[in-house]
Amino acid sequence: MLKPSLYYKLMPALFGLLGFLFGLGCYLAENSALKSHTHFFYWSLFFTIQTATGIMIGLLIKRLYYTAFTDGLTGLWNYRFFY
């Protein structure tokens, strides 16, 4: 089983992948054939935004995890990290 700290390190990739899969699912649910080139452009833009948003949320969660376990002044691990 993976350590909890490894989950937080993998959050950006996980949320980026989930954002991409969500966009792909929405696209496939709407229509299986492309209507025009602009339709493809809008969906590719949607995929990009979903993936970037997922990565940004994952990075924020990763930073929050490390902030909770480090001292704000020195940057060293605090007592919560050792328990």
Side-chain angles (χ1 to χ4, degrees), residues 18-30:
L18 288 175
F20 178 77
L21 291 175
F22 176 74
L24 183 63
C26 288
Y27 172 73
L28 292 175
E30 182 201 352

Side-chain angles (χ1 to χ4, degrees), residues 15 45 48 55 83:
F15 278 116
L45 183 66
T48 306
I55 290 171
Y83 289 109

Side-chain angles (χ1 to χ4, degrees), residues 48-67:
T48 306
I49 291 170
Q50 284 290 111
T51 305
T53 303
I55 290 171
M56 289 184 341
I57 290 171
L59 289 173
L60 288 174
I61 290 173
K62 183 178 172 182
R63 186 182 337 162
L64 178 65
Y65 172 77
Y66 284 116
T67 303

Side-chain angles (χ1 to χ4, degrees), residues 2 5 7 11 20-21 23 28 32-33 41-42 45 49 52 69 78:
L2 296 174
S5 62
Y7 290 126
M11 281 290 173
F20 178 77
L21 291 175
L28 292 175
S32 62
F41 172 74
Y42 290 130
L45 183 66
I49 291 170
F69 290 110
N78 61 16

